[in-house]
Amino acid sequence: MKKIIFGILCLLSGSVCHAEDITIRYKGASAKVVNKTKDSVNVTVNGACVNIESLYKSHKLTLRLSGKSDNGQLELKTAGKAKVNLDGLTLTSQEGAPLCLKNKKKVEIEALKGTENTLTITACVDTAKHKAATIWAKDKLLFSGQGTLNIVATGDGCRGIKSKKDITIEDLTLNVTTTGDNLGEKPFSFGDFGGFGGETPDFGGGFPGFGNDSTAFAGGFPPFGGMGGFGGFPRFDNDSTALAGGFPPFGGFPRFDNDSTAVGGGFPPFGGMGGFGGFPRFDNDSTAFAGGFPPFGGMGGFGGFPGFDNDSIDGGGFGDFGGGFAGKHKYVASTKGIASKGKITINSGNVTVKTSTAGAEGIEGKEGIAFNGGNVNVSSTDDAINANATIEFNGANVIARSTSNDAVDSNPKGGFFMAFGGNNNQDTEPAIVINGGTVYAWSQVGSPEEGLDCDFAPLVVKGGTIFSVGGGMGEMPSVPSNENAQQPTALLIGFEIEKDEPVSVYDDAGNLLFNVTIPFSLRRSASLVGNPAFKVGGTYTVKTKGKEKTFTLSEPFTAVR
């Protein structure tokens, strides 16, 4: 009787009322489709490739997918919202996204309770049509359900999940793995060629020296200059052989005299001999010696802008050994795990992301990322977690590990240029906000890569358990100010991490507050440590195998050597 009444109401309202409007069962090289909405939805089938175009705007189109195919695909184009129920689906595409969503409104993908579903992509040659992902979406995506969804990308240039809009994840178990190589580099990526014209070779340069007879090893715009003395602000004199360089704290402010042979210079009180050169390298796979304003690049010293003087032997510019402005590798398609041009929000569930290719970030949300709940484990070669806006940790248990770059990297608008007077904390949104949960952020390569990288924008700590591993500029990574350490936080400088040996944190009464085991060794880590039990004035001890460090939180933020 209920079904009859429901049907009558549907007819009276003019709505479509089906548990699933369309069901698709894949079987080998074919797909069987049952379409209950023939007047409003166009369905075409070619082997195991199904194309669906829906004209509905007010009705949420629902589909149920099941079965198995080693060469199948679903392309869904919708005018309104849609929901895709995965009911024990194993679908592999040999070219292009197995689930390609050309949606104009949000699509929900639900892994039905108790089911295991696996989507795999093996090739992404057709990147021009935006299919270089296992799941590709034009609009918003919602992942839900009490089942399991495995996303596998084995092809070169193939991402796991890619959306042009927001991505939300809740409830389900989501496993994303990418293993392919990056699919080529875009032109003018400022990472793989030498100088700017002239006879400037690949070895570097610094910002131009303007003298006609300069034999200095090349300029460097402060503080981007070359390595320890080869850089600095350009020499304007004609006979300078000085080695000085770098803007503080990476070296001396330039000498402008005509016959200076000073080694350093030193704009008081910083002084010193030059820095770790080059305008920052933003590329995530750089192993070049040049590089950058930490934490963006390598040790650097031959980098920066090309020399433009008439008799310069300074060298290069934007080359492999360079540094150059905006030296980020731009790939036609990189093998990222989850990528969104909007915001990514994880509310609950269990999310695991693993990438294995240089330049392949784990989770990237251009407009920010919010970890509200659930368990998230990200392991990548590049940044494990990356955003161009605020990254919030509000209650999830997060492990982020990078083997060659920052574990968590936020690049908010204006953040980097705060270091040069372009912004201040009032003008710049926070890079990272930790309100609660567990935040384990581990970069295993050491300085200048960091566990938590804020690009000089604010790092705010209000709660949560925190243990980061990494380096920083001169062992000084991104840290909260006293004002922003609303939950007291300590920085342990030079702490030694030993692979698979527990790190334990105790209060002054010997009570264990938390412990964590890190799967790699790092001789000298700059580790940010926080816990809800921390109080200003309290004394705490961090112990690992054969080593311990006791400290008192004298301020909301306390650096401990």
Side-chain angles (χ1 to χ4, degrees), residues 132-391:
T134 306
I135 296 179
W136 183 92
K138 187 176 182 179
D139 207 275
K140 295 179 181 179
L141 280 177
L142 168 62
F143 291 91
S144 67
Q146 298 181 34
T148 299
L149 175 56
N150 303 311
I151 301 294
V152 182
T154 62
D156 292 348
C158 296
R159 298 174 178 86
I161 299 169
K162 168 68 176 179
S163 175
K164 288 189 171 184
K165 297 290 182 67
D166 298 347
I167 296 175
T168 303
I169 300 169
E170 53 193 29
D171 297 338
L172 85 166
T173 296
L174 177 64
N175 303 310
V176 180
T177 304
T178 71
T179 58
D181 291 330
N182 297 313
L183 193 63
E185 288 197 46
K186 293 181 179 180
F188 307 111
S189 58
F190 305 129
D192 50 9
F193 58 88
F196 252 26
E199 296 182 356
T200 53
D202 288 349
F203 294 101
F207 199 93
F210 297 107
N212 292 331
D213 192 23
S214 173
T215 55
F217 279 90
F221 192 93
F224 311 106
M227 176 182 180
F230 297 100
F233 199 93
R235 302 293 175 172
F236 296 100
D237 57 287
N238 292 331
D239 193 25
S240 173
T241 56
L243 299 178
F247 192 90
F250 301 100
F253 198 91
R255 300 288 187 176
F256 294 98
D257 56 276
N258 290 330
D259 193 21
S260 172
T261 56
V263 174
F267 188 93
F270 300 97
M273 185 181 174
F276 297 120
F279 196 96
R281 292 292 297 260
F282 292 99
D283 59 293
N284 295 323
D285 186 33
S286 173
T287 55
F289 289 98
F293 190 91
F296 302 102
M299 184 170 185
F302 303 103
F305 279 81
F308 295 103
D309 53 309
N310 295 331
D311 192 20
S312 173
I313 57 170
D314 298 358
F318 297 101
D320 282 335
F321 301 98
F325 178 73
K328 181 177 177 63
H329 286 288
K330 293 285 188 179
Y331 299 103
V332 174
S334 61
T335 56
K336 299 175 182 178
I338 302 175
S340 169
K341 289 188 176 180
K343 184 174 182 178
I344 296 176
T345 302
I346 299 177
N347 293 321
S348 56
N350 297 289
V351 179
T352 301
V353 180
K354 181 175 178 59
T355 71
S356 55
T357 306
E361 292 158 336
I363 298 177
E364 179 192 54
K366 292 293 188 181
E367 296 182 1
I369 305 174
F371 297 95
N372 297 327
N375 302 298
V376 182
N377 192 323
V378 186
S379 178
S380 71
T381 48
D382 206 294
D383 298 335
I385 297 169
N386 177 276
N388 288 350
T390 303
I391 300 174

Side-chain angles (χ1 to χ4, degrees), residues 95-97 100 102 123-133 136 156-157 159 164 183 186 331-333 341:
E95 161 59 27
C100 182
K102 297 180 178 180
C124 293
V125 177
D126 193 9
T127 57
K129 293 185 178 179
H130 308 290
K131 295 181 179 180
W136 183 92
D156 292 348
R159 298 174 178 86
K164 288 189 171 184
L183 193 63
K186 293 181 179 180
Y331 299 103
V332 174
K341 289 188 176 180

